[in-house]
Amino acid sequence: MRYFYSTADFDKLIEDIIQNRNDQVEKYGPRYYEFLIKRNKAANTDTKGFWSKARIV
C-alpha cells in the first residue's frame, strides 16, 4: 500500500514513518528488524529505487 502526502502534511509523513518503524520493531524484535534492514539494503543496493539511495541511520 502506498500513501501520498502533500507538502502541508510533512509532519504527518514523519510521524507515519516513525510509527511504521516502531510497529515493525515490535513485530520482529529489534535485532531481527536490524538484520532485515541490512539484508534488504545489501540485496537491493544496485537496483533502481528506494534502497539504492537509502542510508541507515
Side-chain angles (χ1 to χ4, degrees):
M1 178 174 277
R2 290 186 181 199
Y3 296 97
F4 297 91
Y5 299 85
S6 71
T7 54
D9 292 331
F10 185 75
D11 290 336
K12 176 68 172 143
L13 167 67
I14 299 302
E15 289 173 14
D16 287 351
I17 290 169
I18 292 169
Q19 184 61 51
N20 179 266
R21 181 192 179 279
N22 291 339
D23 292 346
Q24 296 296 316
V25 169
E26 185 175 321
K27 180 177 179 179
Y28 296 112
R31 292 181 72 208
Y32 191 61
Y33 173 80
E34 185 176 343
F35 165 76
L36 291 172
I37 293 295
K38 288 178 179 179
R39 184 183 72 179
N40 285 337
K41 172 81 171 141
N44 296 295
T45 296
D46 296 327
T47 59
K48 184 177 178 182
F50 175 79
W51 287 110
S52 66
K53 295 191 178 13
R55 300 287 182 261
I56 298 175
V57 293

